[in-house]
Amino acid sequence: MSDARRTHSAAERQTKRASFLASVVAAIEQSQPQLSIVATEPTIIVDGNYVLQGPGGPFDLYEVRLIIDYRYPTYAPKVFETGGRIPKDAGRHINPDGDCCVTVWEEWLAKTQNTTFSQFLWGPLHEFFLGQWWFEIKGEWPFGQRDHGARGLLQAYGDVLNVRPRQEIVLYYLRLLSQDWPKGHWLCPCGSGVNLRKCHRQELCELHERVPSVLARRMLRQLRLNLGLAVRHRKVRA
Ligand SMILES: [Zn+2]
Ligand SMILES: [Zn+2]
């Protein structure tokens, strides 16, 4: 690569980072003004109160720290509840690292048109803390809360793929979709015992548009990790 091109791409990268940072600042000002940015390198760190909003206005808040990677939305922001209000256990959707299990990220990416940071702040994050607030009062989760861990992932991915949340089915679909193009000689996942080429090839190609191979590979990796299966390293292409 020539020096000129390298400089150009470094400048481009800087511009992208700056505009992402600006979008985070704007989203916070607009919808969560009790949060503030305390660091911008190498990741964006946000501290403060996350305020729950209802029809009658704000009604409660959680102290939080958000760690936001500039590669958003490829990487999900990490969210920590810092007020000591939520017990740090899986039953309350807290991950082993102590961060909040806000949403199944790949599911959100696959199902949501608008994946801006602002949308994250309004959507999944609000839903998460609203769920926690509800749990504190009722001792149960509101509608549609997924199980934590592997079961929850199977439910979420089954939903994205529109198949039953059974381990072998979801894994097979994800393995198929991980290929850049579904291989015609693979058995069709519908269980007909016939090659894909002669069966549901069209449907699978449509699914591929919603769940591109790069996303499928990440889902497969996440699922295998959560199921305690070995995670295969990607083959290096010759
Ligand atoms: Zn969870
Ligand atoms: Zn089929």
mmCIF file of all heavy atoms in Angstrom, residues 90 92-95 100-104 128 145-149 152, ligand 1:
data_model
loop_
_atom_site.group_PDB
_atom_site.id
_atom_site.type_symbol
_atom_site.label_atom_id
_atom_site.label_comp_id
_atom_site.label_asym_id
_atom_site.label_seq_id
_atom_site.Cartn_x
_atom_site.Cartn_y
_atom_site.Cartn_z
ATOM 1 N N ALA A 90 -26.746 -15.160 37.197
ATOM 2 C CA ALA A 90 -27.343 -15.515 35.911
ATOM 3 C C ALA A 90 -28.864 -15.405 35.946
ATOM 4 O O ALA A 90 -29.488 -15.030 34.963
ATOM 5 C CB ALA A 90 -26.915 -16.924 35.508
ATOM 6 N N ARG A 92 -30.574 -13.249 37.177
ATOM 7 C CA ARG A 92 -30.979 -11.865 36.925
ATOM 8 C C ARG A 92 -30.387 -11.336 35.618
ATOM 9 O O ARG A 92 -30.310 -10.141 35.387
ATOM 10 C CB ARG A 92 -30.554 -10.976 38.103
ATOM 11 C CG ARG A 92 -31.343 -11.264 39.383
ATOM 12 C CD ARG A 92 -32.831 -10.928 39.247
ATOM 13 N NE ARG A 92 -33.047 -9.507 39.090
ATOM 14 C CZ ARG A 92 -33.218 -8.657 40.112
ATOM 15 N NH1 ARG A 92 -33.239 -9.093 41.336
ATOM 16 N NH2 ARG A 92 -33.410 -7.376 39.889
ATOM 17 N N HIS A 93 -29.967 -12.241 34.762
ATOM 18 C CA HIS A 93 -29.390 -11.875 33.452
ATOM 19 C C HIS A 93 -28.121 -11.026 33.588
ATOM 20 O O HIS A 93 -27.955 -10.013 32.907
ATOM 21 C CB HIS A 93 -30.416 -11.169 32.572
ATOM 22 C CG HIS A 93 -31.489 -12.102 32.076
ATOM 23 N ND1 HIS A 93 -31.298 -12.955 31.016
ATOM 24 C CD2 HIS A 93 -32.736 -12.340 32.532
ATOM 25 C CE1 HIS A 93 -32.399 -13.653 30.833
ATOM 26 N NE2 HIS A 93 -33.294 -13.316 31.736
ATOM 27 N N ILE A 94 -27.260 -11.455 34.525
ATOM 28 C CA ILE A 94 -25.943 -10.845 34.624
ATOM 29 C C ILE A 94 -24.938 -11.900 34.163
ATOM 30 O O ILE A 94 -24.961 -13.043 34.626
ATOM 31 C CB ILE A 94 -25.634 -10.382 36.070
ATOM 32 C CG1 ILE A 94 -26.689 -9.401 36.577
ATOM 33 C CG2 ILE A 94 -24.232 -9.772 36.139
ATOM 34 C CD1 ILE A 94 -26.775 -8.070 35.842
ATOM 35 N N ASN A 95 -24.082 -11.531 33.232
ATOM 36 C CA ASN A 95 -23.093 -12.458 32.669
ATOM 37 C C ASN A 95 -21.974 -12.743 33.662
ATOM 38 O O ASN A 95 -21.790 -11.988 34.616
ATOM 39 C CB ASN A 95 -22.515 -11.872 31.381
ATOM 40 C CG ASN A 95 -23.559 -11.783 30.285
ATOM 41 O OD1 ASN A 95 -24.389 -12.679 30.141
ATOM 42 N ND2 ASN A 95 -23.542 -10.695 29.526
ATOM 43 N N CYS A 100 -24.246 -6.782 32.068
ATOM 44 C CA CYS A 100 -25.655 -7.131 31.893
ATOM 45 C C CYS A 100 -25.876 -7.875 30.576
ATOM 46 O O CYS A 100 -25.306 -7.517 29.549
ATOM 47 C CB CYS A 100 -26.509 -5.870 31.872
ATOM 48 S SG CYS A 100 -26.381 -4.884 33.367
ATOM 49 N N CYS A 101 -26.720 -8.905 30.635
ATOM 50 C CA CYS A 101 -27.123 -9.637 29.429
ATOM 51 C C CYS A 101 -28.297 -8.857 28.840
ATOM 52 O O CYS A 101 -29.439 -9.189 29.050
ATOM 53 C CB CYS A 101 -27.470 -11.062 29.855
ATOM 54 S SG CYS A 101 -28.444 -12.024 28.747
ATOM 55 N N VAL A 102 -27.969 -7.781 28.145
ATOM 56 C CA VAL A 102 -28.991 -6.823 27.721
ATOM 57 C C VAL A 102 -29.944 -7.432 26.697
ATOM 58 O O VAL A 102 -31.153 -7.314 26.797
ATOM 59 C CB VAL A 102 -28.336 -5.540 27.155
ATOM 60 C CG1 VAL A 102 -29.396 -4.588 26.620
ATOM 61 C CG2 VAL A 102 -27.496 -4.862 28.227
ATOM 62 N N THR A 103 -29.361 -8.069 25.696
ATOM 63 C CA THR A 103 -30.174 -8.649 24.634
ATOM 64 C C THR A 103 -29.323 -9.679 23.906
ATOM 65 O O THR A 103 -28.117 -9.737 24.113
ATOM 66 C CB THR A 103 -30.642 -7.535 23.658
ATOM 67 O OG1 THR A 103 -31.547 -8.094 22.717
ATOM 68 C CG2 THR A 103 -29.486 -6.913 22.892
ATOM 69 N N VAL A 104 -29.960 -10.509 23.085
ATOM 70 C CA VAL A 104 -29.161 -11.404 22.246
ATOM 71 C C VAL A 104 -28.759 -10.571 21.030
ATOM 72 O O VAL A 104 -29.576 -10.277 20.169
ATOM 73 C CB VAL A 104 -29.958 -12.662 21.830
ATOM 74 C CG1 VAL A 104 -29.122 -13.542 20.912
ATOM 75 C CG2 VAL A 104 -30.385 -13.434 23.066
ATOM 76 N N PHE A 128 -34.316 -3.809 28.963
ATOM 77 C CA PHE A 128 -33.563 -4.567 29.968
ATOM 78 C C PHE A 128 -33.830 -4.014 31.370
ATOM 79 O O PHE A 128 -34.188 -4.751 32.282
ATOM 80 C CB PHE A 128 -32.061 -4.534 29.662
ATOM 81 C CG PHE A 128 -31.233 -5.232 30.712
ATOM 82 C CD1 PHE A 128 -31.108 -6.620 30.712
ATOM 83 C CD2 PHE A 128 -30.614 -4.513 31.731
ATOM 84 C CE1 PHE A 128 -30.369 -7.277 31.697
ATOM 85 C CE2 PHE A 128 -29.876 -5.166 32.722
ATOM 86 C CZ PHE A 128 -29.753 -6.548 32.700
ATOM 87 N N GLN A 145 -39.535 -12.471 28.113
ATOM 88 C CA GLN A 145 -38.152 -12.523 28.571
ATOM 89 C C GLN A 145 -37.557 -13.882 28.228
ATOM 90 O O GLN A 145 -38.155 -14.918 28.490
ATOM 91 C CB GLN A 145 -38.102 -12.300 30.083
ATOM 92 C CG GLN A 145 -36.714 -12.078 30.623
ATOM 93 C CD GLN A 145 -36.271 -10.625 30.519
ATOM 94 O OE1 GLN A 145 -37.095 -9.737 30.357
ATOM 95 N NE2 GLN A 145 -34.991 -10.394 30.607
ATOM 96 N N ARG A 146 -36.393 -13.886 27.648
ATOM 97 C CA ARG A 146 -35.771 -15.152 27.293
ATOM 98 C C ARG A 146 -35.037 -15.734 28.489
ATOM 99 O O ARG A 146 -34.665 -15.026 29.403
ATOM 100 C CB ARG A 146 -34.760 -14.930 26.188
ATOM 101 C CG ARG A 146 -35.394 -14.433 24.918
ATOM 102 C CD ARG A 146 -34.544 -14.785 23.736
ATOM 103 N NE ARG A 146 -35.086 -14.186 22.541
ATOM 104 C CZ ARG A 146 -36.169 -14.613 21.930
ATOM 105 N NH1 ARG A 146 -36.823 -15.661 22.395
ATOM 106 N NH2 ARG A 146 -36.609 -14.000 20.853
ATOM 107 N N ASP A 147 -34.816 -17.063 28.406
ATOM 108 C CA ASP A 147 -33.968 -17.685 29.404
ATOM 109 C C ASP A 147 -32.565 -17.144 29.225
ATOM 110 O O ASP A 147 -32.197 -16.676 28.150
ATOM 111 C CB ASP A 147 -33.942 -19.210 29.216
ATOM 112 C CG ASP A 147 -35.280 -19.835 29.549
ATOM 113 O OD1 ASP A 147 -35.984 -19.280 30.415
ATOM 114 O OD2 ASP A 147 -35.618 -20.870 28.954
ATOM 115 N N HIS A 148 -31.787 -17.247 30.288
ATOM 116 C CA HIS A 148 -30.397 -16.806 30.214
ATOM 117 C C HIS A 148 -29.549 -17.954 29.678
ATOM 118 O O HIS A 148 -29.874 -19.111 29.864
ATOM 119 C CB HIS A 148 -29.941 -16.402 31.620
ATOM 120 C CG HIS A 148 -28.588 -15.785 31.651
ATOM 121 N ND1 HIS A 148 -28.360 -14.499 31.212
ATOM 122 C CD2 HIS A 148 -27.397 -16.259 32.064
ATOM 123 C CE1 HIS A 148 -27.086 -14.223 31.369
ATOM 124 N NE2 HIS A 148 -26.468 -15.274 31.877
ATOM 125 N N GLY A 149 -28.456 -17.633 29.004
ATOM 126 C CA GLY A 149 -27.504 -18.658 28.576
ATOM 127 C C GLY A 149 -27.945 -19.420 27.342
ATOM 128 O O GLY A 149 -28.679 -18.896 26.499
ATOM 129 N N GLY A 152 -31.658 -19.596 26.211
ATOM 130 C CA GLY A 152 -32.120 -18.315 25.682
ATOM 131 C C GLY A 152 -31.599 -18.070 24.275
ATOM 132 O O GLY A 152 -32.314 -17.576 23.407
HETATM 133 ZN ZN ZN B 1 -29.601 -13.378 30.019
#
